[in-house]
Amino acid sequence: MDLTPAEAAAVIERHDCSRCQAPAGSPCRTRSGKTAARYHTARFTVVPALREELSVTVPEDRNPGRPWQPGPVPAGPARPAGEVTPIRIGYARCSTAGQELGSQVTALEAAGCKRIFSEKISTRIKIRPELEAALQLARDIKQAAPGQDVIVTVHEIKRLARNAAELMTLTAALQADGIQLELLTGPLTGSTTRTGSGPCCSPSWPSPPSWTVTTSGRKPSKASAPPRPKATTAAAPRSSTRT
């Protein structure tokens, strides 16, 4: 991080908070009306030096945990957003307690994930708390900074969905929110980047309606055409000439 805690707080507070509605110059606040212990992620993602931190503590001189008080109006314009750097949020999962998550977490860290959610739960369970938390964080960041690239990264498809149909459903929902999905390994390695260039240099996936799912290596056989009916011609009537 390029800034000290005091400098980070000063820069964050130059922006309004879209989550708790704290005005510029003030720390974030909780629903109960007290000063928050941490700034809301939706607020500091507009700061280039803090965009990948995903957690910034409110300084003690703002009295976190006490009744919220508005701070002074900041002098000067807000710090410009600058060049956008993608934020990667990782998700790791295994089905049983006997399986390990370390290899997935290591791969996600190597891919540049600054925040990783992990859990041991079956994909047959529709509601997976850590997955929901990862997706919600991605949506919060995207809502606060629409120009920010947000990528949800998973090691492979089976950590996220049981089949390609479930993956397409999730991908379509994330694309509707402007969030990218990235798989590090497996047959669908790549990300949902629309251009295939930039920070995500992996192959681009087409939009869900155009995906093709095959279950074997055999090519579908061409349907045999029905036999063409034999052409029949009626015999021309014989003409007789009487003399």
Side-chain angles (χ1 to χ4, degrees), residues 25-194:
S26 302
C28 290
R29 55 187 168 185
T30 64
R31 293 183 179 179
S32 62
K34 296 182 179 180
T35 302
R38 295 180 181 277
Y39 291 100
H40 293 133
T41 306
R43 187 176 190 178
F44 64 78
T45 50
V46 297
V47 182
L50 302 172
R51 192 173 284 131
E52 296 184 4
E53 293 301 318
L54 301 183
S55 180
V56 178
T57 304
V58 174
E60 288 297 327
D61 61 3
R62 270 66 163 181
N63 299 319
R66 299 180 184 179
W68 182 84
Q69 296 291 334
V73 179
R79 183 173 175 174
E83 185 179 355
V84 175
T85 302
I87 292 178
R88 279 181 167 82
I89 300 172
Y91 174 71
R93 185 202 65 81
C94 63
S95 297
T96 63
Q99 296 176 330
E100 58 87 23
L101 290 168
S103 59
Q104 295 182 51
V105 173
T106 300
L108 293 172
E109 290 175 346
C113 296
K114 297 297 183 181
R115 181 77 178 272
I116 298 175
F117 295 82
S118 62
E119 59 189 339
K120 294 188 176 183
I121 191 171
S122 172
T123 52
R124 295 175 182 174
I125 299 177
K126 294 183 178 180
I127 299 178
R128 284 165 270 166
E130 292 301 309
L131 175 60
E132 295 298 325
L135 299 181
Q136 187 59 51
L137 176 59
R139 293 188 178 102
D140 287 345
I141 295 174
K142 193 65 180 179
Q143 183 179 8
Q148 172 68 55
D149 288 335
V150 182
I151 305 172
V152 175
T153 304
V154 185
H155 189 255
E156 55 187 333
I157 180 177
K158 66 182 181 180
R159 305 303 175 189
L160 190 64
R162 288 179 295 177
N163 50 51
E166 288 185 3
L167 181 66
M168 287 189 291
T169 301
L170 178 59
T171 302
L174 290 177
Q175 285 184 326
D177 294 330
I179 300 169
Q180 302 171 27
L181 180 62
E182 179 181 42
L183 299 181
L184 299 180
T185 61
L188 293 179
T189 299
S191 66
T192 53
T193 49
R194 297 176 181 174

